[in-house]
Amino acid sequence: MTTSDVISKLKSEINCNISTEKSDLETYGTDWTREFNPDPLAVIFPKTIEDVKNIVSFANKNKVSLTPSGGRTGLSAGAVAKNGELVVSFEKMNKVLSFNKADRTLEVQAGITTKEIQDYAKEKGLFYPVDFSSAGSSQIGGNIATNAGGIRVIRYGLTRQWIKGLKVVTGKGDILELNKGLTKNATGYDLMNLFIGSEGTLGLIAEATIQLTTQPKDSSVILIGLKNIENSIKVLELFREKLTLNAFEFFSHSAVKHVVKKLERNIPVCDTLPYYLLVDIETPSDNEIEIASEIYTNAFETGLIEDGVISQNPSQYRELWSFRENITEAISVFLTYKNDISVRTSQIPDFINDISAILNNEYPDFDTILFGHIGDGNIHVSILKPHDFDKEKFLNLCRGVNTKIFETVAKYDGSISAEHGVGLIKKPYLTYTRSEAEIELMKGIKKVFDPNGIMNPGKIF
Ligand code: MLT
Ligand code: ZN
């Protein structure tokens, strides 16, 4: 069958919007990565789980591969369709299906955005704690498929912790209702959790039951300047010993100039220090603010920190956070090669020193930016392509240096992808974190759920 025969058949057999417009193929066939050229067969927009089932059944019968597409904010090319796949966009499956006040759960379709869930929870006097700068566009289905993390993991954990049930269509075409919102369910293998982080390789996530929680109390944030990274984890220990931390983030000096340029605002602490921390603490009363100030003053007097400022009101709170939240957008004017790596939190200072040494040796002429969630042991390493540098040459250089970076990750028994997933971009490096035996088992699991290999082929392994 020719491509146009498949498309005509698809249009006649499946009652969903289908687009083959060039601009749609380009938009829906990719994510925020810019390494691959999208080349999908078409884009299809299901509205219900039955539509999704029909699409999977069509794909199996006609040997068509499927690539799920959410908010397309992924950073590992997990949602890139570059080999004639049919892109399944969840854009039209964006509804809240039900809310249960007693269980504090929300049933949603996969295409609802993270922000819409956060807003809905707020309206109900509750809280959905998973948060990141792409929350306005990213969809819950994609968050689940990549087990998304973000800025509050230190307090609330990853997306996995907030999923109480999933309705999926497996690659084989079965609808599975997994866990059904239960808190306790000790009945064998946890298939729901297998789908979390599976990057669309086992089936399509159509609906989810989300756990909500109590709204956080008032919080304050402290922006801190450090002269060396060794002190970062000492600072974490000091604050965590006495206070509840919502976030413990960091960024390097090299990130500051880009954010300052974007925001057209100077950073309100000494701007020549190599590292900055953002410590977000719950401060429901003056007592916690006093404790935080005491810790801060002692740390300053003992030379642990060089400079800092604590937010005094909600607008200052947002302002201090903006220096961290705007990093990705500020550097997006460059083609950026990203790594998202993790170790145990206690190893962060040594790890950052080792990674910085590699970056300084290998990229003396490139702007290299470190930032991320060091309270979770997770750093993002971004290399910016100078505007006049050849793209392919730049990407090859970055891929070459990856070996050194990932050998260091492996030396620490760390992860080559902490929260961005594997997709196409990290696939060649999976063995730095997962053993051959683990990868074989993952392949075996995929075969059970997706015997014809139609689900997002080529991603993860
Ligand atoms: C972040 O923490 O801001 C995100 O993971 C995005 C990124 O790495 O660019
Ligand atoms: Zn991140």
Side-chain angles (χ1 to χ4, degrees), residues 32 75 132-133 150-151 249 324-325 328 331 338-340 371-373 380 382 419-420:
W32 276 1
L75 296 165
F132 21 73
S133 19
I151 53 179
E249 298 279 306
R324 161 65 183 92
E325 278 171 341
T328 296
I331 60 177
K338 286 169 185 269
N339 269 317
D340 161 44
F371 67 102
H373 323 284
H380 300 310
S382 296
E419 61 171 5
H420 292 171

Side-chain angles (χ1 to χ4, degrees), residues 1 11 29 65 138 200 211-212 288 294-295 316 372 402 441:
M1 249 197 308
K11 286 182 174 166
S65 298
S138 80
Q211 181 68 63
L212 305 178
E288 287 77 16
E294 259 168 46
I295 297 171
Q316 279 179 12
N402 269 350
L441 283 169

Side-chain angles (χ1 to χ4, degrees), residues 150-156 220-224 226 228-241 243-251 275-281 295 304-305 317 321 324 345-346 348-349 352 371-379:
I151 53 179
R152 296 203 188 99
V153 174
I154 194 169
R155 174 148 187 206
Y156 294 102
S220 307
V221 68
I222 313 177
L223 175 63
I224 288 173
L226 295 178
N228 65 53
I229 199 67
E230 279 73 21
N231 292 349
S232 60
I233 301 305
K234 294 181 191 149
V235 173
L236 169 70
E237 281 180 63
L238 285 177
F239 281 102
R240 192 151 58 176
E241 206 184 329
L243 296 161
T244 300
L245 295 190
N246 298 316
F248 193 85
E249 298 279 306
F250 116 110
F251 48 93
Y275 301 107
Y276 296 89
L277 299 175
L278 259 192
V279 190
D280 192 309
I281 352 158
I295 297 171
L304 215 49
I305 64 181
Y317 176 88
W321 259 108
R324 161 65 183 92
T345 306
S346 57
I348 272 287
I352 289 185
F371 67 102
H373 323 284
I374 57 167
D376 312 322
N378 176 194
I379 58 170

Side-chain angles (χ1 to χ4, degrees), residues 322-386:
S322 68
F323 288 96
R324 161 65 183 92
E325 278 171 341
N326 280 284
I327 297 174
T328 296
E329 220 183 303
I331 60 177
S332 67
V333 289
F334 296 88
L335 176 78
T336 306
Y337 194 87
K338 286 169 185 269
N339 269 317
D340 161 44
I341 47 189
S342 71
V343 291
R344 277 145 289 283
T345 306
S346 57
Q347 300 170 311
I348 272 287
D350 290 341
F351 184 60
I352 289 185
N353 282 334
D354 284 0
I355 294 293
S356 301
I358 295 172
L359 299 177
N360 292 338
N361 276 335
E362 302 293 331
Y363 304 115
D365 304 325
F366 292 165
D367 209 355
T368 60
I369 303 217
L370 298 185
F371 67 102
H373 323 284
I374 57 167
D376 312 322
N378 176 194
I379 58 170
H380 300 310
V381 180
S382 296
I383 319 294
L384 310 192
K385 183 185 89 59

Side-chain angles (χ1 to χ4, degrees), residues 167-443:
K167 282 193 195 170
V168 304
V169 179
T170 66
K172 215 170 158 186
D174 299 319
I175 293 186
L176 302 182
E177 293 189 37
L178 302 172
N179 200 53
K180 301 177 181 169
L182 296 171
T183 297
K184 300 182 102 176
N185 181 9
T187 53
Y189 300 155
D190 188 341
L191 302 182
M192 178 187 82
N193 268 300
L194 215 42
F195 271 78
I196 303 175
S198 64
E199 299 187 30
T201 59
L202 302 180
L204 297 172
I205 296 167
E207 295 174 17
T209 305
I210 311 290
Q211 181 68 63
L212 305 178
T213 188
T214 309
Q215 284 187 345
K217 301 191 180 116
D218 282 350
S219 296
S220 307
V221 68
I222 313 177
L223 175 63
I224 288 173
L226 295 178
K227 71 168 180 272
N228 65 53
I229 199 67
E230 279 73 21
N231 292 349
S232 60
I233 301 305
K234 294 181 191 149
V235 173
L236 169 70
E237 281 180 63
L238 285 177
F239 281 102
R240 192 151 58 176
E241 206 184 329
K242 299 208 169 121
L243 296 161
T244 300
L245 295 190
N246 298 316
F248 193 85
E249 298 279 306
F250 116 110
F251 48 93
S252 60
H253 179 259
S254 51
V256 175
K257 67 173 183 293
H258 297 283
V259 179
V260 163
K261 189 169 169 205
K262 174 174 186 280
L263 297 178
E264 297 178 349
R265 238 185 301 124
N266 281 330
I267 192 159
V269 289
C270 171
D271 64 359
T272 55
L273 293 164
Y275 301 107
Y276 296 89
L277 299 175
L278 259 192
V279 190
D280 192 309
I281 352 158
E282 198 165 73
T283 49
S285 74
D286 288 348
N287 184 33
E288 287 77 16
I289 295 177
E290 266 166 40
I291 296 172
S293 304
E294 259 168 46
I295 297 171
Y296 170 81
T297 310
N298 282 340
F300 183 71
E301 283 170 3
T302 53
L304 215 49
I305 64 181
E306 297 304 304
D307 196 7
V309 55
I310 181 162
S311 65
Q312 305 292 333
N313 54 48
S315 104
Q316 279 179 12
Y317 176 88
R318 290 259 51 92
E319 205 234 310
L320 294 184
W321 259 108
S322 68
F323 288 96
R324 161 65 183 92
E325 278 171 341
N326 280 284
I327 297 174
T328 296
E329 220 183 303
I331 60 177
S332 67
V333 289
F334 296 88
L335 176 78
T336 306
Y337 194 87
K338 286 169 185 269
N339 269 317
D340 161 44
I341 47 189
S342 71
V343 291
R344 277 145 289 283
T345 306
S346 57
Q347 300 170 311
I348 272 287
D350 290 341
F351 184 60
I352 289 185
N353 282 334
D354 284 0
I355 294 293
S356 301
I358 295 172
L359 299 177
N360 292 338
N361 276 335
E362 302 293 331
Y363 304 115
D365 304 325
F366 292 165
D367 209 355
T368 60
I369 303 217
L370 298 185
F371 67 102
H373 323 284
I374 57 167
D376 312 322
N378 176 194
I379 58 170
H380 300 310
V381 180
S382 296
I383 319 294
L384 310 192
K385 183 185 89 59
H387 290 308
D388 52 1
F389 205 92
D390 178 70
K391 178 180 165 184
E392 277 319 306
K393 207 170 145 198
F394 170 77
L395 291 174
N396 280 333
L397 265 172
C398 293
R399 288 182 198 121
V401 178
N402 269 350
T403 318
K404 291 191 174 153
I405 292 184
F406 293 147
E407 274 166 5
T408 308
V409 170
K411 188 179 96 186
Y412 284 85
D413 275 334
S415 176
I416 57 132
S417 182
E419 61 171 5
H420 292 171
V422 180
L424 292 173
I425 289 186
K426 298 296 176 267
K427 176 166 81 159
Y429 313 103
L430 192 58
T431 48
Y432 285 96
T433 296
R434 307 296 292 259
S435 67
E436 295 291 352
E438 282 181 283
I439 295 170
E440 274 316 300
L441 283 169
M442 289 200 268
K443 287 181 180 167

